[in-house]
Amino acid sequence: MAWQWGLIAAELGRPGPESMLAELLPISDQLVTLGTGCVSWGSMHDVVAMLLRATGDVAGARLHARAAVETHRRLGLSHLERRSGTVLHQLDALCHRGRPTR
């Protein structure tokens, strides 16, 4: 359930994105699953990328978004690969516009 709070923190800033990062970063290489594992929301790297973006770390966010794209590609999850690719494209656009990164 922490990943859901991570999404909320990334969008609304509450709970604090930093506290959610502390919880989710160590497990960023896992898949987000519901119930007994028969439903998946994809790579935790997606949520971590959004949280890093919310804290201003666009460079770190890009690394995690790229890891999510690669994870979804490796698993053959093309719909999730496209979603992660959209996040990566948005982050790349931020960098190209000269926005500061950490």
Side-chain angles (χ1 to χ4, degrees):
M1 186 181 268
W3 69 274
Q4 292 171 321
W5 284 110
L7 290 174
I8 293 167
E11 288 295 318
L12 303 178
R14 292 177 189 242
E18 295 83 4
S19 65
M20 294 309 306
L21 268 173
E23 189 168 340
L24 298 177
L25 194 57
I27 59 170
S28 62
D29 61 340
Q30 295 182 15
L31 294 177
V32 177
T33 57
L34 300 174
T36 59
C38 60
V39 176
S40 176
W41 286 89
S43 175
M44 186 71 75
H45 284 293
D46 272 337
V47 179
V48 170
M50 292 175 208
L51 286 166
L52 287 167
R53 178 182 177 179
T55 65
D57 185 356
V58 177
R62 288 173 73 203
L63 290 173
H64 282 275
R66 190 171 295 114
V69 169
E70 292 169 3
T71 297
H72 296 142
R73 182 177 300 138
R74 186 179 72 250
L75 295 172
L77 303 170
S78 57
H79 63 293
L80 295 176
E81 181 183 349
R82 282 190 301 276
R83 184 191 69 195
S84 299
T86 299
V87 172
L88 180 58
H89 179 74
Q90 292 168 349
L91 292 165
D92 286 344
L94 283 177
C95 288
H96 288 64
R97 282 185 269 183
R99 297 245 175 122
T101 62
R102 286 200 275 170

